[in-house]
Amino acid sequence: MFNAIIFKPKYVLDADIANCFDRINHEALLGKLHTFPLMRRAIKARLKAGAMDGEGLFPTEEGTPQGG
């Protein structure tokens, strides 16, 4: 494999996706799911679960949870 690519041009892509998932519309995302109702409700609940920071709970109206 090394010999196959050694003389070919190489490219590096650097992309900052830190805020990429912060503004995903929940209803639009759920509308694209083609699954059974129980799974859809579970995913919706996970999207709406919110985030904890110390003692505070911050609800999520848009975006996906960290690690989601």
Side-chain angles (χ1 to χ4, degrees):
M1 185 174 268
F2 175 78
N3 289 332
I5 65 170
I6 190 170
F7 297 111
K8 294 185 179 183
K10 288 132 187 103
Y11 301 92
V12 175
L13 173 64
D14 180 24
D16 180 11
I17 62 168
N19 294 325
C20 180
F21 300 102
D22 289 353
R23 303 245 184 255
I24 292 176
N25 181 291
H26 291 176
E27 293 307 316
L29 178 63
L30 291 167
K32 294 184 181 292
L33 294 178
H34 301 290
T35 188
F36 51 96
L38 184 61
M39 178 63 75
R40 182 181 165 82
R41 284 193 300 270
I43 293 171
K44 185 175 184 176
R46 174 74 173 115
L47 289 172
K48 301 286 184 189
M52 295 278 306
D53 187 13
E55 300 276 329
L57 175 63
F58 301 94
T60 52
E61 297 301 321
E62 64 181 5
T64 59
Q66 182 178 359

